[in-house]
């Protein structure tokens, strides 16, 4: 992966800016979801909203694929599975995506999200993407 490619891919996604997702400085494979009040789903605990965690992980997967590719269009998710392993506290959250298989039209990506210890993830995601081809219709 090219240095800064993950940061550039995330910078081009408006939803990433809304959530507060950035690439971790000094890495090319780790993203960070900055803690913010608008991400809290349960104020009684408090805990991060599951949708914001899933959105963060999906953005990390998309940006990782975009950073590793020269394709002009972002990939489209076609099958997503999220396992919530523990409650996410309202602190900075990290994620790393691994491209497990990438073909001409389909890619499979696995994402792990954690907070203070990578060995104790809060969620994991498996996602299949349709890779855009210039000759494919956009509808």
């Amino acid at each position: 992966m090219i240095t800064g490619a993950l940061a550039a891919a995330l910078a081009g996604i408006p939803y990433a800016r809304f959530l507060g997702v950035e690439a971790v400085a000094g890495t090319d494979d780790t993203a960070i979801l900055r803690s913010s009040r608008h991400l809290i789903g349960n104020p009684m605990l408090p805990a991060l909203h599951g949708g914001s965690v899933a959105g963060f992980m999906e953005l990390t997967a998309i940006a990782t694929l975009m950073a590793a590719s020269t394709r002009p269009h972002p990939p489209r998710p076609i099958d997503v599975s999220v396992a919530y392993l523990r409650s996410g506290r309202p602190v900075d959250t990290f994620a790393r995506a691994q491209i497990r298989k990438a073909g001409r039209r389909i890619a499979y990506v696995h994402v792990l999200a954690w907070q203070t210890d990578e060995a104790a993830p809060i969620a994991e995601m498996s996602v299949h993407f349709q890779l855009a081809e210039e000759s494919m219709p956009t509808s």
Side-chain angles (χ1 to χ4, degrees), residues 11-125:
I13 303 172
Y15 188 53
R17 287 192 300 273
F18 170 75
L19 284 181
V21 178
E22 306 167 354
V24 173
T27 71
D28 284 329
D29 65 350
T30 305
I32 184 169
L33 174 67
R34 300 285 181 191
S35 179
S36 178
R37 290 187 71 125
H38 77 279
L39 302 175
I40 295 175
N42 185 342
M44 300 299 285
L45 292 178
L48 293 175
H49 190 283
S52 59
V53 173
F56 166 52
M57 292 192 310
E58 185 175 321
L59 286 169
T60 302
I62 289 169
T64 299
L65 277 172
M66 290 173 64
S69 174
T70 58
R71 296 174 192 264
H73 304 290
R76 295 187 336 195
I78 54 176
D79 177 42
V80 178
S81 176
V82 180
Y84 296 99
L85 306 173
R86 59 181 40 100
S87 194
R89 298 182 325 271
V91 298
D92 290 350
T93 304
F94 302 89
R96 182 174 297 123
Q98 275 189 323
I99 301 170
R100 297 278 173 93
K101 175 133 175 70
R104 289 183 309 117
R105 295 189 286 171
I106 302 292
Y108 170 66
V109 180
H110 182 262
V111 185
L112 199 63
W114 71 94
Q115 293 185 315
T116 56
D117 182 8
E118 188 173 355
I122 64 166
E124 65 180 342
M125 172 183 278

